[in-house]
Amino acid sequence: MTIRVMLVDDQVLLRTGFRMVLAAQPDMDVVAEAGDGVEALQVLRGTPVDVVLMDVRMPKLDGVEATRRICADTDPPKVLILTTFDLDEYAFSALKAGASGFMLKDVPPAELLAAIRSVHSGDAVVAPSTTRRLLDRFAPMLPSPGGEPRHKALDRLTEREREVMVLVAQGLSNGEIAARLVLSEATVKTHVGRILTKLGLRDRVQVVVLAYETGLVRAGGHG
C-alpha cells in the first residue's frame, strides 16, 4: 500500500529535497505540496492524503493552526510536524492541536522515512524520548494539578489501563510495556486501544499530552 504524502513548507528547496528522498521509496508517493497553511487546507479539500509533513513557521497560516483545522475534520490525515528546534514551543502547540509527532528538519533521511511509516501505521509516537523531553520543557505551562488528576475522563479507566497510560506517557513501546507488566504485546495493544476510545484520543501522542496536563505524569517522566 502506497503512503500518500503532502509536503507543507514555505521553503521550496526544502520541499524539493524531501520530495527527492520520498520519491525513491517504493511505498511512498508525494501527491501534493503547499507553501503555507492556507494553501495546504485548500489542496487537502480535493486531494486524498495519508500523511502531511508540516512546517510550523509559515506565512498566512502557521503549521499549528493548520494542524488544528486539519485534525478537526472527519477522518483526517496524520500530521508530522517538522521543526528546526528540538525544544520548540510551536511543536508543543502542534502536538496539542492533534499532530501525531514531530521531527527535526535535519533528521537523517532513514529516520524521516521510518517516522512517516510509523505515523501512518498509528502504532507509535515518533521519537518518544524527544516528545517527552519537549513536554518536560513545557510542563510548567500546563495546569498545575491539585493532587489527583482533574480530568474526569481518567475515572473511566481501569487500574490496569491507567498503569499502561503512565508507561505510554513515559515513552515506552508496546513491547517494553508488555515486558514491564508481564503481559503479551497483544494485550497491551488492546489496553492502549481502549484508552484511546475511552478518552476520545486520536493516538499515543495525545495520550502523552493528556497525561501531563492532568498530572498523571509529572515533569521528568515519572507517574
Side-chain angles (χ1 to χ4, degrees):
M1 179 182 171
T2 302
I3 302 172
R4 298 166 297 187
V5 181
M6 179 180 188
L7 305 176
V8 184
D9 197 298
D10 58 339
Q11 297 180 49
V12 177
L13 278 176
L14 206 74
R15 294 205 310 267
T16 302
F18 282 136
R19 186 170 64 247
M20 288 172 64
V21 171
L22 300 183
Q25 303 304 305
D27 62 337
M28 293 186 194
D29 185 16
V30 177
V31 295
E33 294 185 33
D36 60 67
V38 171
E39 187 183 356
L41 293 171
Q42 291 171 343
V43 172
L44 278 171
R45 289 194 193 106
T47 309
V49 172
D50 299 311
V51 177
V52 179
L53 290 187
M54 178 78 75
D55 186 22
V56 280
R57 305 186 187 201
M58 295 182 293
K60 295 185 183 176
L61 188 69
D62 66 37
V64 175
E65 183 57 31
T67 297
R68 186 175 290 111
R69 295 187 193 181
I70 289 170
C71 294
D73 284 347
T74 305
D75 194 24
K78 300 293 177 71
V79 178
L80 181 58
I81 294 294
L82 295 171
T83 177
T84 311
F85 306 104
D86 197 356
L87 295 177
D88 188 338
E89 69 274 17
Y90 288 91
F92 175 73
S93 300
L95 290 180
K96 291 195 65 177
S100 294
F102 75 98
M103 301 292 289
L104 298 180
K105 285 188 176 180
D106 60 358
V107 65
E111 286 186 32
L112 176 66
L113 297 170
I116 292 171
R117 293 183 181 108
S118 175
V119 164
H120 180 246
S121 70
D123 280 348
V125 173
V126 176
S129 59
T130 310
T131 303
R132 190 170 71 245
R133 214 160 59 241
L134 182 84
L135 287 163
D136 284 346
R137 167 71 177 80
F138 293 103
M141 299 179 187
L142 298 174
S144 55
E148 280 299 299
R150 295 177 303 170
H151 198 290
K152 289 184 179 177
L154 293 185
D155 295 339
R156 300 176 198 151
L157 301 181
T158 64
E159 190 174 338
R160 175 63 88 189
E161 287 165 354
R162 190 178 286 234
E163 203 173 1
V164 170
M165 182 173 176
V166 167
L167 295 176
V168 168
Q170 290 175 3
L172 274 65
S173 67
N174 284 355
E176 291 167 336
I177 294 171
R180 179 80 63 90
L181 299 180
V182 196
L183 299 169
S184 73
E185 200 164 333
T187 299
V188 172
K189 194 167 184 179
T190 299
H191 282 312
V192 172
R194 285 179 182 155
I195 291 166
L196 294 175
T197 301
K198 286 183 178 182
L199 300 182
L201 303 175
R202 183 174 292 110
D203 55 33
R204 295 168 77 103
V205 172
Q206 294 193 338
V207 172
V208 178
V209 173
L210 182 63
Y212 273 78
E213 285 185 319
T214 57
L216 190 63
V217 172
R218 296 185 295 278
H222 302 293

